[in-house]
Amino acid sequence: MAQNLYGPRVRMGNWNEDVYLEEEVMKDFLEKRDKGQLLIQRNRRLKENLLRPMQLSITEDGYVHCGDKVMLVNPDYPETEADLFLGGDLSLCMTPDEIKAHLSDDLEVPCGLSAAPTKIPIGRNTFIILSADRNAMGQVLRYGQNFCLAITGGFEDRMLYLSSDHRTLLKSSKRSWLQEVYLTDEPSYLNCWQAAFLDPQLRLEYEGFPVPANAKVLISHCHTNRGLAAHRYLFLSTYFGKEVEVAAHTHLDSHRVEKPRNHWMLVTGNPRKDSSTMLDVVPKPLAEDARALERDTRTPEQGADPGAQ
């Protein structure tokens, strides 16, 4: 079979048209490069924003406040129900769709979420705690209080809210087919969450008490009453590599107690210069010390045990 061995420089056939076409392609390339619209430029800007180092809030009284910047961390635990799982402390991360991320340098909504072994606060895993009415900045967050978890993703002009809704045939999590958790820019009641005390026998007694920082808590969705969960055994191939699924589902054991999949820590910043988060200081979560922390903040007239009131 004959092959076309001639190029535009041979000046045979539609050589003039081929020369003009090459010039137009080069002109279009240079114009997009000058405007920063090339695919590699968009990809680089998005990744720089998502991986931008962030500064977490430093708590002075040991509690979490509205307006604080924190990381949501699922503490490490031995997963006994699966042979292959992702170990270590996993932080809740923003995870844009890989195809959409290559086509745009901006965040697409709704945006997905995942859990990754990232202990350094960056744009994709630093959340801002907001009250439901947005007017309680600086006030202590309390058990049973509605609050929102917002994230900027390293962008200065974007604010996305952690949201969830009932599962449908067309809308569910990718791997487990449970209730989906996502990020959206529309403020609504679907953005509201609550923190609950870890021990179910003392949960009602601690209703209304301050939420301690860097301690295990439960985070449940107000509209659906489903707990935020990290599925360490369900892997996702994301824009940043191999991570695991996050969904809204309450996993209970035989004693009707939430499993470690639903345990989360609101991690704050470390005042020391040699470390960025309190995870580097506290070797394990202070779940068992939460009651002692509450007792220390009460006056003798209030009593030592909230159950004694």
Side-chain angles (χ1 to χ4, degrees):
M1 185 176 179
Q3 296 181 357
N4 185 10
L5 302 179
Y6 299 101
R9 295 182 180 84
V10 181
R11 308 279 177 153
M12 291 185 64
N14 298 329
W15 61 270
N16 199 31
E17 181 180 350
D18 294 338
V19 171
Y20 285 141
L21 182 60
E22 288 185 359
E23 292 178 354
E24 288 295 327
V25 172
M26 180 58 67
K27 182 180 178 181
D28 182 63
F29 170 80
L30 295 176
E31 184 179 356
K32 287 185 177 181
R33 187 192 65 179
D34 295 337
K35 293 181 180 180
Q37 297 178 351
L38 293 178
L39 179 61
I40 189 173
Q41 292 174 323
R42 292 179 175 181
N43 184 273
R44 185 182 297 116
R45 282 198 299 268
L46 178 61
K47 186 172 292 187
E48 286 178 355
N49 286 324
L50 293 177
L51 299 180
R52 177 181 300 175
M54 304 292 287
Q55 181 66 41
L56 300 180
S57 300
I58 298 175
T59 176
E60 298 180 357
D61 54 4
Y63 299 114
V64 181
H65 305 77
C66 295
D68 285 353
K69 293 183 179 181
V70 299
M71 289 173 54
L72 273 73
V73 175
N74 178 243
D76 185 23
Y77 67 91
E79 180 65 65
T80 59
E81 300 182 13
D83 296 332
L84 184 62
F85 60 91
L86 187 62
D89 296 333
L90 304 182
S91 61
L92 184 65
C93 297
M94 169 190 292
T95 307
D97 184 79
E98 190 170 0
I99 297 178
K100 294 180 180 179
H102 282 89
L103 298 178
S104 175
D105 58 347
D106 201 359
L107 293 176
E108 297 287 339
V109 291
C111 182
L113 290 155
S114 63
T118 304
K119 296 184 179 181
I120 301 176
I122 54 179
R124 65 183 297 245
N125 67 358
T126 302
F127 288 82
I128 305 173
I129 299 178
L130 302 174
S131 60
D133 54 2
R134 310 293 195 275
N135 296 324
M137 300 299 290
Q139 296 185 7
V140 177
L141 181 68
R142 299 181 179 275
Y143 289 116
Q145 175 185 351
N146 291 359
F147 68 94
C148 299
L149 290 167
I151 187 171
T152 61
F155 293 84
E156 298 180 356
D157 56 344
R158 295 298 302 271
M159 182 75 76
L160 303 182
Y161 305 97
L162 183 67
S163 307
S164 186
D165 201 356
H166 288 288
R167 180 184 58 176
T168 64
L169 292 176
L170 301 177
K171 190 175 182 180
S172 62
S173 57
K174 295 181 179 180
R175 295 295 309 277
S176 62
W177 304 102
L178 297 174
Q179 184 173 310
E180 184 184 20
V181 180
Y182 57 92
L183 295 170
T184 180
D185 57 353
E186 298 180 0
S188 67
Y189 186 64
L190 300 179
N191 311 144
C192 293
W193 302 80
Q194 287 185 357
F197 190 69
L198 198 64
D199 191 346
Q201 296 182 352
L202 299 175
R203 196 162 296 165
L204 291 179
E205 283 82 352
Y206 274 93
E207 196 81 12
F209 281 86
V211 177
N214 311 298
K216 288 183 181 179
V217 296
L218 302 175
I219 299 178
S220 60
H221 190 236
C222 297
H223 179 60
T224 61
N225 198 28
R226 297 288 191 273
L228 187 66
H231 297 150
R232 295 172 174 263
Y233 56 93
L234 297 178
F235 295 93
L236 297 174
S237 180
T238 69
Y239 185 61
F240 297 93
K242 193 175 184 180
E243 298 177 354
V244 297
E245 181 191 73
V246 175
H249 186 78
T250 304
H251 297 272
L252 300 176
D253 58 14
S254 59
H255 300 285
R256 306 293 297 175
V257 178
E258 288 81 4
K259 294 182 179 180
R261 300 173 187 173
N262 294 115
H263 296 175
W264 295 91
M265 296 169 57
L266 300 176
V267 178
T268 58
N270 186 3
R272 301 179 183 177
K273 296 182 179 180
D274 56 348
S275 181
S276 57
T277 67
M278 291 299 295
L279 285 176
D280 303 324
V281 178
V282 183
K284 61 179 180 178
L286 300 178
E288 56 275 3
D289 296 338
R291 296 182 61 186
L293 185 61
E294 295 291 350
R295 290 195 298 266
D296 295 340
T297 58
R298 295 190 182 88
T299 60
E301 291 78 14
Q302 290 177 313
D305 191 0
Q309 294 180 357

